[in-house]
Amino acid sequence: MDAFSVSLANGLNEPRMKKSRMSFIAGMYAFFQFAMPMIGWVCVHTIVAYFESFDDCIPWIALILLLYIGAKMIWEAVHGDCAHKDSSGSLKLTFPTLLTQGIATSIDALSVGFTIADYGLFMAFVASFIIALVTFAICMTGLVIGKRAGDRLGSKATFIGGLILVGIGIEIFVKGIFF
């Protein structure tokens, strides 16, 4: 759902996004949703002692990354920072930004590697692949909804998208710390 919400925010931000770009963005999030459980699975089978101390940092990392991206979007929406906009007036979703979003929305999936630790490599791969397929479909849906709403909201879309990202960061942090 985090990747869906970020996709929704990206669709709001870039309402004229082409289908190929939508597929790339959804694919980016799907890749990270696939990779993180596999990395967690590998960690369980190799470096568990080192990974356990990192597990407490996951909510903090997601919070910092999403707060940064969301606050930047809000700042640019309020202050009209034209240097980071494309010809249509939307903020640019650069490759580093998409990488950061992909990592931030999937970092909590590292812990899924612990839950599939009893699986063999093939079954862990299959489970992660299913997660990736579902993520791709959900993200495409979020992008489509965001694009349609972004057309209607105009310049407010970037601000709303930034608020969504900040909210997701806080939600991941609260769930990771208190639950």
Side-chain angles (χ1 to χ4, degrees):
M1 291 314 298
D2 296 336
F4 169 80
S5 299
V6 172
S7 295
L8 182 68
N10 287 340
L12 284 168
N13 178 56
E14 200 174 318
R16 308 252 186 276
M17 189 182 308
K18 295 181 180 179
K19 287 184 182 179
S20 60
R21 181 146 170 83
M22 291 170 60
S23 295
F24 175 76
I25 291 170
M28 175 82 71
Y29 301 147
F31 168 76
F32 280 107
Q33 289 290 339
F34 167 82
M36 291 298 182
M38 289 304 298
I39 291 168
W41 184 88
V42 168
C43 287
V44 167
H45 291 276
T46 57
I47 54 172
V48 171
Y50 299 111
F51 186 71
E52 285 175 356
S53 62
F54 177 73
D55 194 37
D56 295 334
C57 299
I58 289 174
W60 288 97
I61 294 168
L63 175 69
I64 291 166
L65 292 174
L66 288 172
L67 281 180
Y68 171 74
I69 296 168
K72 185 177 174 196
M73 284 177 71
I74 292 168
W75 175 268
E76 291 171 348
V78 170
H79 292 91
D81 186 359
C82 297
H84 295 94
K85 294 185 178 183
D86 62 16
S87 59
S88 69
S90 297
L91 293 173
K92 294 178 187 175
L93 290 173
T94 63
F95 186 74
T97 300
L98 292 173
L99 275 176
T100 304
Q101 289 176 349
I103 292 168
T105 58
S106 65
I107 197 161
D108 56 337
L110 277 169
S111 59
V112 173
F114 290 129
T115 64
I116 62 173
D118 292 338
Y119 293 6
L121 177 61
F122 178 74
M123 285 309 297
F125 183 87
V126 169
S128 296
F129 186 72
I130 291 169
I131 292 168
L133 287 176
V134 171
T135 299
F136 184 86
I138 287 171
C139 289
M140 287 296 284
T141 303
L143 287 164
V144 168
I145 293 169
K147 278 180 49 171
R148 289 187 181 153
D151 275 338
R152 291 182 183 91
L153 293 173
S155 62
K156 296 176 191 159
T158 300
F159 184 82
I160 293 169
L163 287 177
I164 290 171
L165 294 180
V166 169
I168 293 167
I170 293 169
E171 182 248 347
I172 291 171
F173 176 76
V174 169
K175 280 185 2 188
I177 296 297
F178 298 111
F179 300 103

